[in-house]
Amino acid sequence: MQLLDLRPKLDTTSQAFFRFRRIGPDRTLITNLEGRWMVLSDEGFTRFATGALEDGSPLKAELADKNFLRQGWDETAAREALARRKSFLGYGPNLHVMVITLRCNETCVYCHASRADMDATHTDMTKETAEQSVDLALSSTSPGITIEFQGGEPLVNFEVLKHIVHYAKEKNEAIGKTLEFTLVTNLALMDDEKLDFLLDHKVQICTSIDGPKDLHDKQRKLPTLSSYDAVSHWIPKINQAYTDRGLDPTLYHVEALLTTTRAALPRWKEIVDTYADLGCRALFLRPIDPFGFAGKTKKTVEYPRAAYLDFYRNATDYILEKNRQGVQMIERFGAIFLTKILRGEDPNFLDIRSPAGAGIGQLAYSYDGSVYTCDEGRMLAAQGDQTFRLGHVAESKYRDIVGHPTVRAMVIASNLDSQPDCVSCTYNPYCGIQTTHNHKTQGSVFGRMRESNICAVHKGIQDYLFEKLADAEPHVLEAFDRWTTIRAREHFLHAPEG
C-alpha cells in the first residue's frame, strides 16, 4: 500500500532569495539579502513557501514591496540598500585605542586589560611614543578618527593624555580630519582640575558601573575606599557640568558600561534602577569576555549563555517598562541591532558588523608602541599571545599595518557570507563576529559559530527583539524608534580651525 504524501509542496520559482527562522510557536521571520524582513504566521509562511499567494492579497503586496518575490524583484533597490549597510567599507580605521598606561588603582575580578600595579611606571606610554601613535592614527584614510584613551586607568598618566590631545589637534590642522577624543575611566582619580581640562577640550567620558554599591565594590575593588562612591560622586557632577555649559543633557552625559558576571544575573532590576538613579541614559548589557584576568577567575564570574539571555530579557523588559513610565534609557546592545533592523543603517559598532572592524575599522596602540588589530588583540598580547600584533609606531608605515596578512585573514574570517553557519543565518544582515574571541575560545579566527558564546548571545538578543517587533506593542515600538534615532553631538567634534 502506497501512502499519500499530504505535506505542502515547496515552490522555488516564486520567491526571491530569503532566509527564515522560527520565533515563537506560530511565527516565522524571513529576511532577504538587503536586510528587509517580515514576520509571517504559519499559514502565511506556507502560502509564501508553496507559491500559493493570491493575486491582489495584502500579503503578496507586502512581500512584493519588501522585495521577497522573484517577479518584479528590484535589483537596484537591493543594491542600494546593501551599499548603504556597508558604507563603512569606504573608510579606514576610525577608532584608535591608545593604552597610555597599564597601571590601575582598582582591582577588578574580571580585568580584561591585565592591569599593572601602581608602581609599575615602566608601563606608562612616553610622550614620544604618544606622538608616533597619533601620527599613525592621523594617517588613516578615514575622514574622521576617534582617539580613545584606555588603560589600566588612563588618569594615572594624565600628562600624556593632555599631550596627546594638544598634539593631535595641532597636527590635524594641516590634515583636516574630524577629530574626537574619548576617555574610559573608573573616575576614582578624577579631580576638578582634570575635569576642567576634559570639558574644555571636549573629551567624552565613559565609565563602568557593575550595579548597586555592594556588587560594584565587590567586583571593582579600590583599596581602603569604595569605587562605587567615587563613580556615583562624579557622574552627576559631570552631567551637571554639561548642563551648566548649555548642552542638552539628553545628548551630553557620562556613558557607563556594565560587565555582566555570574553575581549580576539575579540582580537585573537593581542594576537597571542603579543606572536610572545615577542619571545614566544608556545601559550596555555586555556579557563577560574571556580576555585578561577573566580567564583565570572564570570559575566565579562565568555562566551559561542561556542564563545570560534570561538576564537580558528580564533587564530589557524592565528598561522598556521604565521607558513607558517616562525614564529615558536605552539598552545599547539592542539599539545596535535595531538600528540595522529598523533603519537599514549600520551604526558601525565594530564588533557587530560584517566584516568586523579589527584592523580596518580599529587599531590599538599599546603603551610600548606596539600596534594591534583591536583592543582585544592587545589584551591577548598582555597574556603572551602576539597573534594580532601588526607592528610598531616607530617602525611601521600605515599601509603596512592595514595591509598586514593578519588583517586580511581577519577580514575574510569575519565576513559572514564566508562563514559556513552565518551565510544561511536569518540574522546575517544585522550581525557580526569577533575573530579574536574565536581565536581565544576555539583556536581559530574562523571559529565554529554553532559552538560560539557570541553567536548564542547575538541570536538570543535578536530573537527577543523580533519577538517584540512582532508583538507590536505601541509603547515598545515607540521606545525602539527612540533607541535608533541618531542624534548628532557636534560639541564633541574637533574640526580644523583653518
Side-chain angles (χ1 to χ4, degrees), residues 55 76 132 140 249 311 359 476:
D55 290 338
T76 300
Q132 292 168 335
S140 173
F311 164 84
V476 172

Side-chain angles (χ1 to χ4, degrees), residues 31-180:
T31 65
N32 59 19
L33 185 68
E34 62 266 37
R36 306 290 295 275
W37 60 274
M38 289 180 63
V39 176
L40 304 178
S41 66
D42 284 350
E43 187 268 340
F45 182 71
T46 298
R47 287 164 56 199
F48 171 62
T50 59
L53 297 167
E54 298 176 0
D55 290 338
S57 67
L59 177 58
K60 185 170 185 178
E62 187 176 1
L63 287 163
D65 181 63
K66 294 187 175 181
N67 232 14
F68 280 103
L69 300 182
R70 185 170 299 186
Q71 184 177 10
W73 188 73
D74 192 336
E75 178 184 348
T76 300
R79 184 173 61 248
E80 290 176 350
L82 193 58
R84 186 166 63 251
R85 287 183 181 275
K86 302 292 185 181
S87 60
F88 56 81
L89 292 175
Y91 302 128
N94 62 290
L95 176 61
H96 298 263
V97 177
M98 298 196 178
V99 181
I100 57 177
T101 183
L102 284 185
R103 292 193 288 157
C104 188
N105 57 323
E106 287 188 4
T107 303
C108 301
V109 295
Y110 49 73
C111 179
H112 296 136
S114 300
R115 64 174 290 280
D117 293 334
M118 287 293 284
D119 59 357
T121 55
H122 64 283
T123 68
D124 288 354
M125 182 181 282
T126 66
K127 290 183 177 180
E128 180 184 13
T129 299
E131 291 181 3
Q132 292 168 335
S133 299
V134 171
D135 290 341
L136 184 56
L138 287 172
S139 299
S140 173
T141 53
S142 176
I145 68 167
T146 296
I147 293 177
E148 181 176 291
F149 299 108
Q150 287 208 32
E153 170 49 52
L155 294 183
V156 171
N157 196 8
F158 196 67
E159 287 303 312
V160 165
L161 184 155
K162 292 194 297 183
H163 185 71
I164 288 175
V165 170
H166 289 308
Y167 181 78
K169 291 172 67 175
E170 178 184 350
K171 290 285 290 188
N172 192 46
E173 284 299 319
I175 296 172
K177 294 185 183 297
T178 300
L179 186 60
E180 294 185 66

Side-chain angles (χ1 to χ4, degrees), residues 230-245:
V231 76
S232 63
H233 167 77
W234 283 105
I235 287 177
K237 186 168 184 176
I238 297 168
N239 289 343
Q240 185 60 49
Y242 286 135
T243 301
D244 293 343
R245 291 178 180 230

Side-chain angles (χ1 to χ4, degrees), residues 162-219:
K162 292 194 297 183
H163 185 71
I164 288 175
V165 170
H166 289 308
Y167 181 78
K169 291 172 67 175
E170 178 184 350
K171 290 285 290 188
N172 192 46
E173 284 299 319
I175 296 172
K177 294 185 183 297
T178 300
L179 186 60
E180 294 185 66
F181 299 101
T182 298
L183 167 66
V184 180
T185 171
N186 60 39
L187 291 175
L189 295 176
M190 185 65 75
D191 57 40
D192 290 332
E193 183 179 354
K194 292 185 180 74
L195 179 57
D196 286 341
F197 176 87
L198 297 170
L199 293 172
D200 289 343
H201 291 83
K202 304 177 182 179
V203 179
Q204 302 173 66
I205 299 172
C206 180
T207 191
S208 295
I209 303 170
D210 279 358
K213 181 174 179 175
D214 66 305
L215 179 59
H216 184 92
D217 284 346
K218 181 180 179 181
Q219 297 187 165

